[in-house]
Amino acid sequence: MKITQFSRHEFKEYNLIGIKTEINFSKENNLKVILHEELQNPIEGQDIELINEFEPLLFSVDIEKSKLFENKELDIDFLTLLDGHHRYNFISRNKIDSKIEVIIVSFEDVNVDSYLSEINIGKEDFINLLESKKFRVNSNSGFYLKIDNDIYSSNEISTIYELYDFKRECFKNGLISPLANDIQSKKQNVLSFTPIKLNEFYKENYLFPPKSTWITPRI
């Protein structure tokens, strides 16, 4: 896909610059869009006028930030969706034939943190569950979960995907619920997982559970 019309977009809160443009996804059959999270509650209905209320979709591109504005034309094979999974799903599901406003940043400017969770059962009960799953207090593993200041890992979990499969299981069983990172300071029994790296989004046919990533910049 070639982008020839775009403008600079300044993220004042994050002191970085991306590009703003419009894409008609129904016309770009050769453009690959990388998703990374399952949807919790898809946008219902088929009223295409809803897109007029949408904020821009936020993507990253595999271009160094120093080269993002180097040319008057960008040639892009794939975009990684950072924010707007529900909106993009609505647009794709309804095959909306319209230009959609997007903001694109360099992969170098993307930071991915763990989207925090709140434990819905007693902390001791949750720790007992962890122990039954062979989690032990251990800060040496690269794949861990953290409750307040205590770090737990399991020798039976050797990939980021196995760790987040466990998170998915906890979500489905109602043991944890999402907790927005910008309000967590008032909470106790806050749970976080090993942050996912951007290149780990690219595993074929795999989506992380909902609310797995807290990505900056944010719109």
Side-chain angles (χ1 to χ4, degrees), residues 16-100:
L16 64 91
I17 295 174
I19 65 173
K20 180 182 285 188
T21 188
E22 294 181 325
I23 299 174
N24 186 333
F25 292 97
S26 71
K27 303 293 188 185
E28 299 294 343
N29 295 327
N30 294 325
L31 175 67
K32 185 174 183 179
V33 175
I34 307 295
L35 310 177
H36 68 272
E37 286 187 352
E38 297 172 347
L39 298 181
Q40 192 169 23
N41 296 300
I43 298 173
E44 297 181 356
Q46 296 182 336
D47 183 2
I48 63 171
E49 295 301 320
L50 282 174
I51 64 171
N52 297 324
E53 303 174 13
F54 286 173
E55 291 184 334
L57 300 175
L58 178 63
F59 294 92
S60 68
V61 67
D62 193 22
I63 299 175
E64 295 175 5
K65 60 183 178 181
S66 61
K67 298 180 179 179
L68 196 56
F69 299 97
E70 200 171 74
N71 301 308
K72 294 183 179 180
E73 179 179 280
L74 295 175
D75 193 0
I76 296 173
D77 295 322
F78 71 92
L79 291 169
T80 303
L81 183 58
L82 305 178
D83 182 43
H85 279 68
H86 289 79
R87 284 166 277 152
Y88 180 77
N89 172 266
F90 179 87
I91 291 163
S92 300
R93 191 175 72 238
N94 292 295
K95 299 181 174 59
I96 292 176
D97 184 8
S98 180
K99 290 184 177 181
I100 304 298

Side-chain angles (χ1 to χ4, degrees), residues 85-198:
H85 279 68
H86 289 79
R87 284 166 277 152
Y88 180 77
N89 172 266
F90 179 87
I91 291 163
S92 300
R93 191 175 72 238
N94 292 295
K95 299 181 174 59
I96 292 176
D97 184 8
S98 180
K99 290 184 177 181
I100 304 298
E101 191 172 51
V102 304
I103 295 172
I104 302 172
V105 298
S106 166
F107 72 98
E108 293 182 327
D109 284 324
V110 177
N111 182 69
V112 186
D113 289 322
S114 170
Y115 198 115
L116 300 177
S117 300
E118 184 176 10
I119 300 173
N120 295 330
I121 61 175
K123 181 177 179 179
E124 185 175 340
D125 291 333
F126 191 77
I127 291 174
N128 288 338
L129 169 68
L130 293 181
E131 292 176 349
S132 72
K133 299 288 187 178
K134 306 302 172 76
F135 280 88
R136 301 289 182 267
V137 176
N138 173 10
S139 60
N140 297 323
S141 173
F143 308 106
Y144 61 86
L145 56 84
K146 184 176 180 182
I147 306 174
D148 299 327
N149 293 317
D150 296 325
I151 295 175
Y152 295 82
S153 62
S154 169
N155 291 332
E156 296 187 0
I157 290 182
S158 58
T159 70
I160 194 75
Y161 308 105
E162 292 173 350
L163 179 67
Y164 276 81
D165 285 342
F166 174 69
K167 181 176 184 178
R168 180 183 291 105
E169 178 185 334
C170 290
F171 268 137
K172 286 184 176 179
N173 292 331
L175 303 177
I176 63 175
S177 55
L179 177 64
N181 290 37
D182 52 3
I183 64 170
Q184 64 87 22
S185 60
K186 301 178 182 178
K187 299 285 186 176
Q188 294 182 334
N189 297 343
V190 173
L191 176 67
S192 63
F193 289 74
T194 303
I196 304 162
K197 298 176 182 177
L198 190 60

